[in-house]
Amino acid sequence: MIDDARVSWRHATIRWGGRGWVIEDHGSTNGTYAQGQRIQQLEIAAGAAIHLGNATDGPRISLSGSGAGGDAYGGQGAAQQSAHQVPQQQQAQQQAWQQQAQAPQQQMQAPGAQQQGWPQPQAQQAPHQAAPQHQAPQQHQGQAPHQQAGTAFPAQGAGGAAAAPSFRGDRSPTTFHQFALGRVMRIGRALENELVVSDLQVSRHHAEFTATPDGRFEIRDLGSHNGTYVNGQPIAKSGTVLLGPNDIVGVGHSTFRIVDDRLEEFVDTGDVSFSARHLTVTVDGGKQILKDVSFGVPEKSLIAVIGPSGSGKSTLLKALTGYRPADQGDVLYDNRNLYKQFAELRQRIGLVPQDDILHKELNVRKALKYAAKLRFPGDTAEAEREARIDEVLRELKLDIHKDKKITSLSGGQRKRVSVALELLTKPSLIFLDEPTSGLDPGMDRDVMQLLRGLADDGRTVLVVTHSVAELAICDKLLVMAPGGSVAYFGPPEEALNFFGYSTWADVFSAFENYRDYDWAGRWRGSQHYQMYAADIDAVAPQSVHMPPPQQMRPPKPQSWGSQLYTLIRRYSSVIASDRGFMGLMLILPAVLGVVSVVIPADFGLAAPEPPARFNGKAGTIMMIIAVGMCFTGAANSVRELIKERVIYERERATGLSRSAYLMSKVIVLGLITALQGGIICGIGFATREMPEEGLLMPPAVEICLVVIALGFTSMMFGLVISSLVKTSEKTMPLLVMFAIIQIVFTGILFQVYGSPGLEQFAWLMPARWAIAGAGTTLDLAHLMPPWDPKNPTDLDPLWEHTAGQWGINIGILLLMGVVCGFAVSRLLRRHEPEVMRK
């Protein structure tokens, strides 16, 4: 450990490389230097000198002993720190913290059910004994010796463990830079910048500070991808803002503050606090589903949230992440208001929903590759993305599974991949919703151990779970009571004693049997409340005043065209990886085309011309082809949005363009549908002779274009269905209903025109306009028997044998598809974070 502000929390690693010792930089903020040059990885020999944070006066480390011949496990060669040693008083301070944290715990009395005066479950007649409170919590695996499960972690300036954790709002700067009058200091990821920020969320040339002649300073965005922020609010791309003495500039994971004539930099390496104060959520009708929830957690800790169904756990998670801001109260990310600064802080928050945010048809590496392309700035090099993916895979022990399809992984391994996707952007705060749902006890333990390791590595992790088997490895436990209030917050090993029961099943039974009991009031009257929540709860509740929607909306890390290209490639890869789906998409139109061939072509003539090759049964043949195309096009898309809904919700919060996402679906599915239309027409017309002349082009081409347009519009109707339903199971009945309705209103089975109401309703049916388009080419108005033999001149106006009517028919058909596209875009808004819907 090197105690210097210029050294990152995880700066570099020295390891044995097989032939010698190798030092590797971990993307540190201020860099690692050898002989004055910044390095990423270097093999070092005995006597080599390395500087951290600065090429000249940064902390110096050197290798002593035999570098090349040293033991691979560190027997002979060892890295020595020459300038900085871990002070002994720090160890003494850690011991003092541990004693302070355990002191109140040893003095506490076991509350017990009778002592606290709250009801017992009816099934529990005899008094039960609570476990003794004075037992020291067991040290969980992977945790530092002084960090024991359930102990309070005092922050700097805290007045002892008996008080609620205090959070550092004014940290010491990571590093500082001196300003000169008139000087421009450019910030970016590229090494030629005056201030290099090694963060993939930062563009190569991101922004620049300028000292004006009057002694003031301004910040100018250089067209960055993820934006530049002043006091949490984004500034216009390539815009300039004059800075005041208290303004804070945000760039990626770094914030900057100007003090006198120097620029102080604060790097978010994960050492951040998090707290919620008086969160209240009210739904229509005035019902509160979240009631005055307050709690605070120290940095680098693991918090579990449990509670019965209806206790507001999902609502709390949405309020904490900013997806659905609370109606009252504050969420503070290191003393910064998350709601008011959501556009900037959302980059530092990871969210793993209950359902996997993955395309399971892809292999692990390819899924992470596409996610990295969407989340990192457009100027990120391929090698940079690959290096970050490899780093995350190694951290989560997924490197041995990187070439496996996600569908072939176990439930716990798939959850690791979901976590890996979120870790790509190095979030300091990670939320997980039911990560162990559906897993066996062994996988449950593995996932919780993974989360414990993430917290120990320098992140704050909050997990909503129904499993109570592995709560002991958490630092804090939040128990929600029915109705959305807090029933307990504190160390997990003290929770059962607090409730006076020996099992969590008894506690949840008490919640169910006594739903009207004042669980929140009991909590606020307890010693635990005074120890772990009183200070945070003491702040008066405030109404949420949200900034304008344009300031809440995060910028897009990629341009619209770049996102579209990446989404098309990813969607094509997903489809290509599912061979069964590809085979079905080719077989279905082939079968429908064959069915149309079964209908004989010489049932009898309706008129002496044209010849029997296309006669009075032409309408029936076209109806089969049209309805088959309707079903095929809608079937292609009817599940595509509902099955990716969780993925879309998460990616939308990270800056995904809604229109680019929808357009990628339209383009890929449109090409597939066009191919299917060609297959249906090719097989359906192969054995039939077509009329000699068409209206504008060969008759087969005209009809095929109409069929493809029908498939496109039906595919768009399928997307509307997919955006409306809540589960995939509801899509198939709607798909069948859609196809059957098309048969009725084609105008082939009975007369549709001339019937008020019925004719106008038929205008909404794609098959009506498709049959009309084919009818103009084939002149079905004269080819089919008239509906009224006494009035053979009473013809369907949409079947008029003219080029203009053909253009109108196919134009309206395509217009219906475009209207469906706008409807899908509006419907997708329902599945986005609420702060982005306006």
Side-chain angles (χ1 to χ4, degrees):
M1 191 181 81
I2 298 178
D3 186 13
D4 190 285
R6 294 167 293 182
V7 179
S8 298
W9 187 75
R10 293 187 67 186
H11 194 105
T13 295
I14 298 174
R15 58 180 171 83
W16 179 252
R19 296 182 303 173
W21 290 95
V22 177
I23 184 167
E24 180 181 2
D25 186 273
H26 285 301
S28 62
T29 301
N30 296 314
T32 304
Y33 299 86
Q35 297 181 348
Q37 300 296 321
R38 187 165 183 167
I39 63 169
Q40 188 67 31
Q41 183 173 310
L42 180 69
E43 186 170 337
I44 54 177
I50 303 295
H51 288 275
L52 306 181
N54 189 283
T56 55
D57 61 350
R60 179 177 179 272
I61 61 174
S62 61
L63 191 75
S64 64
S66 176
D71 182 11
Y73 298 97
Q76 295 181 13
Q80 302 291 334
Q81 179 188 345
S82 61
H84 299 272
Q85 301 291 338
V86 180
Q88 295 181 354
Q89 50 267 44
Q90 184 176 13
Q91 299 178 0
Q93 186 181 21
Q94 292 173 356
Q95 295 175 0
W97 286 358
Q98 181 177 351
Q99 293 173 0
Q100 283 182 334
Q102 293 179 350
Q105 187 177 334
Q106 295 171 353
Q107 298 170 2
M108 191 186 311
Q109 295 180 357
Q114 300 294 336
Q115 185 176 349
Q116 291 292 334
W118 60 285
Q120 301 181 57
Q122 297 174 359
Q124 187 121 12
Q125 300 293 338
H128 44 272
Q129 296 180 354
Q133 287 278 347
H134 64 275
Q135 293 181 356
Q138 295 181 354
Q139 180 178 325
H140 49 70
Q141 184 178 0
Q143 196 172 11
H146 68 284
Q147 296 179 350
Q148 294 191 352
T151 59
F153 290 77
Q156 292 182 1
S166 64
F167 306 106
R168 294 175 289 178
D170 189 14
R171 301 178 181 274
S172 299
T174 305
T175 187
F176 60 86
H177 311 271
Q178 203 69 30
F179 260 123
L181 187 63
R183 178 187 174 189
V184 175
M185 182 176 292
R186 190 170 52 180
I187 306 172
R189 204 175 68 250
L191 296 179
E192 60 264 24
N193 292 285
E194 288 79 10
L195 203 163
V196 179
V197 179
S198 299
D199 182 357
L200 290 182
Q201 296 283 62
V202 178
S203 300
R204 292 184 60 82
H205 300 97
H206 196 103
E208 63 183 18
F209 285 97
T210 303
T212 60
D214 59 357
R216 305 179 71 182
F217 299 90
E218 63 182 17
I219 179 71
R220 183 166 74 94
D221 184 85
L222 299 178
S224 63
H225 295 271
N226 280 325
T228 305
Y229 304 84
V230 176
N231 299 325
Q233 306 305 320
I235 66 177
K237 280 188 181 269
S238 304
T240 302
V241 172
L242 196 62
L243 300 176
N246 298 318
D247 289 337
I248 296 176
V249 177
V251 173
H253 287 79
S254 299
T255 52
F256 300 89
R257 181 178 61 184
I258 296 176
V259 179
D260 298 329
D261 60 346
R262 73 176 188 177
L263 181 67
E264 295 185 346
E265 180 183 3
F266 302 80
V267 181
D268 185 348
T269 57
D271 298 340
V272 296
S273 58
F274 185 77
S275 62
R277 295 179 177 177
H278 302 287
L279 296 184
T280 300
V281 174
T282 306
V283 295
D284 296 338
K287 180 181 178 181
Q288 291 184 343
I289 57 177
L290 202 65
K291 299 179 182 178
D292 199 19
V293 174
S294 298
F295 66 94
V297 294
E299 55 206 40
K300 294 190 284 188
S301 56
L302 175 60
I303 304 95
V305 180
I306 65 172
S309 299
S311 58
K313 298 187 299 296
S314 297
T315 303
L316 175 64
L317 191 63
K318 292 179 180 179
L320 294 176
T321 56
Y323 271 44
R324 198 289 187 194
D327 300 302
Q328 192 176 59
D330 296 313
V331 176
L332 300 182
Y333 177 98
D334 214 29
N335 282 340
R336 300 178 64 185
N337 193 300
L338 175 64
Y339 296 158
K340 296 180 180 179
Q341 303 181 29
F342 178 78
E344 177 187 355
L345 297 180
R346 57 99 192 179
Q347 303 179 49
R348 310 184 190 185
I349 295 177
L351 173 63
V352 181
Q354 180 174 350
D355 297 324
D356 294 328
I357 46 178
L358 305 160
H359 290 89
K360 299 179 182 179
E361 299 82 1
L362 302 177
N363 63 41
V364 173
R365 188 176 189 84
K366 188 173 289 188
L368 295 181
K369 174 184 175 182
Y370 286 121
K373 288 180 70 69
L374 289 173
R375 297 193 181 194
F376 289 147
D379 60 1
T380 306
E382 184 74 20
E384 293 178 296
R385 289 195 297 266
E386 294 289 340
R388 180 57 188 156
I389 291 172
D390 289 338
E391 183 180 351
V392 171
L393 289 174
R394 288 194 301 269
E395 181 178 0
L396 298 183
K397 297 180 177 60
L398 287 170
D399 46 343
I400 59 176
H401 305 294
K402 63 183 179 182
D403 295 323
K404 294 181 181 178
K405 276 192 175 184
I406 297 175
T407 51
S408 67
L409 301 179
S410 65
Q413 290 169 342
R414 284 200 302 269
K415 192 59 65 177
R416 283 178 178 265
V417 180
S418 293
V419 174
L421 191 149
E422 291 300 312
L423 290 184
L424 288 174
T425 54
K426 296 185 178 181
S428 301
L429 185 62
I430 302 177
F431 294 92
L432 300 100
D433 187 10
E434 298 287 353
T436 61
S437 177
L439 302 183
D440 60 51
M443 290 184 180
D444 181 357
R445 180 183 59 189
D446 291 342
V447 171
M448 292 301 292
Q449 290 287 358
L450 167 67
L451 303 184
R452 179 69 259 171
L454 294 178
D456 292 337
D457 284 343
R459 306 173 184 92
T460 298
V461 182
L462 187 145
V463 52
V464 175
T465 180
H466 276 112
S467 175
V468 297
E470 302 296 330
L471 295 180
I473 69 173
C474 300
D475 296 305
K476 291 291 188 295
L477 175 65
L478 175 66
V479 182
M480 300 293 294
S485 58
V486 177
Y488 172 82
F489 177 72
E493 68 274 4
E494 300 175 13
L496 288 176
N497 285 340
F498 173 82
F499 289 107
Y501 288 105
S502 57
T503 66
W504 282 108
D506 293 333
V507 175
F508 278 48
S509 295
F511 283 149
E512 180 64 27
N513 295 331
Y514 302 98
R515 300 186 68 88
D516 296 331
Y517 183 75
D518 187 10
W519 300 99
R522 178 178 181 272
W523 155 244
R524 286 192 169 88
S526 67
Q527 295 179 356
H528 286 74
Y529 173 79
Q530 297 299 324
M531 293 175 59
Y532 303 114
D535 286 358
I536 293 176
D537 215 16
V539 181
Q542 299 178 0
S543 298
V544 177
H545 299 287
M546 306 298 291
Q550 61 270 20
Q551 295 183 1
M552 295 287 293
R553 188 175 297 113
K556 298 177 178 62
Q558 302 273 342
S559 65
W560 188 89
S562 179
Q563 285 195 5
L564 176 62
Y565 178 67
T566 301
L567 290 168
I568 289 175
R569 288 185 59 194
R570 183 177 70 177
Y571 191 32
S572 301
S573 297
V574 170
I575 292 177
S577 300
D578 191 346
R579 296 181 180 179
F581 181 65
M582 288 185 63
L584 182 62
M585 287 192 297
L586 295 176
I587 293 173
L588 179 60
V591 171
L592 294 174
V594 171
V595 169
S596 69
V597 175
V598 175
I599 302 175
D602 53 356
F603 272 76
L605 298 177
E609 291 183 359
R613 59 195 178 204
F614 248 101
N615 48 36
K617 291 300 179 181
T620 304
I621 296 171
M622 287 310 308
M623 183 183 71
I624 297 298
I625 292 177
V627 173
M629 194 69 242
C630 279
F631 183 83
T632 301
N636 289 339
S637 60
V638 75
R639 290 176 180 261
E640 292 308 298
L641 297 182
I642 181 64
K643 75 179 184 180
E644 292 186 359
R645 183 161 295 172
V646 177
I647 299 175
Y648 173 74
E649 289 178 0
R650 181 61 191 133
E651 291 185 341
R652 182 72 175 124
T654 61
L656 178 70
S657 168
R658 180 196 310 139
S659 58
Y661 174 79
L662 178 58
M663 188 58 65
S664 70
K665 299 291 185 186
V666 172
I667 291 174
V668 175
L669 292 175
L671 292 175
I672 293 174
T673 303
L675 175 62
Q676 292 173 322
I679 293 174
I680 289 180
C681 292
I683 296 177
F685 301 156
T687 59
R688 307 182 190 279
E689 294 185 25
M690 304 298 293
E692 295 180 357
E693 294 183 359
L695 298 171
L696 296 172
M697 56 193 81
V701 176
E702 285 185 3
I703 297 175
C704 188
L705 289 177
V706 171
V707 171
I708 290 175
L710 172 62
F712 170 78
T713 302
S714 300
M715 180 263 294
M716 298 304 296
F717 267 94
L719 289 178
V720 172
I721 295 174
S722 189
S723 62
L724 279 172
V725 297
K726 294 183 178 180
T727 61
S728 298
E729 290 74 14
K730 295 180 180 179
T731 58
M732 294 311 297
L734 293 175
L735 173 62
V736 174
M737 182 179 67
F738 171 75
I740 291 177
I741 290 178
Q742 303 308 307
I743 299 176
V744 176
F745 293 98
T746 55
I748 297 294
L749 298 179
F750 61 92
Q751 180 178 339
V752 174
Y753 68 93
S755 302
L758 181 64
E759 180 180 13
Q760 288 71 30
F761 183 77
W763 290 347
L764 302 176
M765 301 295 115
R768 168 69 170 147
W769 296 98
I771 291 295
T776 57
T777 298
L778 297 174
D779 196 12
L780 286 181
H782 296 93
L783 192 62
M784 289 180 59
W787 296 113
D788 185 3
K790 298 180 181 179
N791 187 12
T793 60
D794 185 17
L795 307 176
D796 192 330
L798 299 186
W799 293 2
E800 183 181 354
H801 188 57
T802 63
Q805 186 60 49
W806 183 88
I808 291 174
N809 292 336
I810 196 171
I812 293 179
L813 194 58
L814 293 174
L815 179 62
M816 293 175 68
V818 173
V819 172
C820 287
F822 281 105
V824 174
S825 179
R826 298 295 294 177
L827 291 170
L828 280 175
R829 293 174 65 252
R830 302 182 308 159
H831 310 297
E832 299 174 359
E834 188 168 310
V835 296
M836 302 178 65
R837 295 180 190 174
K838 300 180 181 179

